[in-house]
Amino acid sequence: MYDENNIFAKIIRGEIPCKKVFEDDAVLFFYDISPKAKIHVLGIPKNPCIDYADFVLNYDDQIVSNFFKKTEHVINILGLRKDGYRIVSNSGVNGCQEVPHFHIHILGGEKLTL
Ligand code: AMP
């Protein structure tokens, strides 16, 4: 069951601040508070969804497609397209997911180690 009080739900509602990169009605991209690379941005759909499977299985194709196309837009805004980047989404216990609202990590700005 989706927890309406998880930290990203609070960020979407504007109850907790974040450093925004891009936002529209459907998506929000913001800097990770504890960056693991020179550039570390998180991307979330505004729909309540716990993890990757919840998002792609339970929302319309248009919503899912829009999220990933906006991700590419943000990659371009961040200047990462040319030199490359990594997209990661942690899920569940084995994936070490901390925040139970589906999100992707966009990492780049330097050569990434493991
Ligand atoms: P995950 O382990 O995939 O759930 O990643 C959660 C990420 O959220 C971590 O990289 C945290 O540093 C990040 N994070 C937690 N709280 C905040 C916040 N208030 N603003 C920005 N990033 C956050």
Side-chain angles (χ1 to χ4, degrees):
M1 167 121 50
Y2 182 76
D3 171 14
E4 295 285 350
N5 285 318
N6 77 73
I7 198 154
F8 293 170
K10 290 180 180 176
I11 287 175
I12 291 168
R13 291 196 295 268
E15 295 166 9
I16 291 177
C18 70
K19 196 173 162 204
K20 288 177 193 176
V21 178
F22 177 85
E23 181 177 26
D24 65 15
D25 288 349
V27 302
L28 174 62
F29 291 81
F30 56 99
Y31 284 96
D32 195 293
I33 205 165
S34 176
K36 279 77 176 180
K38 198 165 173 188
I39 296 176
H40 186 173
V41 167
L42 301 172
I44 56 177
K46 291 188 175 178
N47 315 78
C49 51
I50 297 170
D51 58 15
Y52 176 75
D54 189 14
F55 183 54
V56 302
L57 295 176
N58 295 321
Y59 286 93
D60 289 347
D61 289 354
Q62 187 276 331
I63 291 173
V64 174
S65 164
N66 177 65
F67 174 73
F68 287 105
K69 285 190 188 269
K70 292 284 163 58
T71 298
E72 162 51 24
H73 177 59
V74 169
I75 284 163
N76 195 34
I77 289 173
L78 294 169
L80 298 178
R81 196 185 268 163
K82 179 172 167 284
D83 289 335
Y85 51 87
R86 183 175 295 159
I87 294 174
V88 175
S89 183
N90 300 320
S91 179
V93 175
N94 281 4
C96 301
Q97 181 179 4
E98 291 171 18
V99 181
H101 180 110
F102 167 60
H103 53 281
I104 58 161
H105 298 254
I106 303 170
L107 301 148
E110 63 184 328
K111 183 105 176 179
L112 299 168
T113 53
L114 190 76

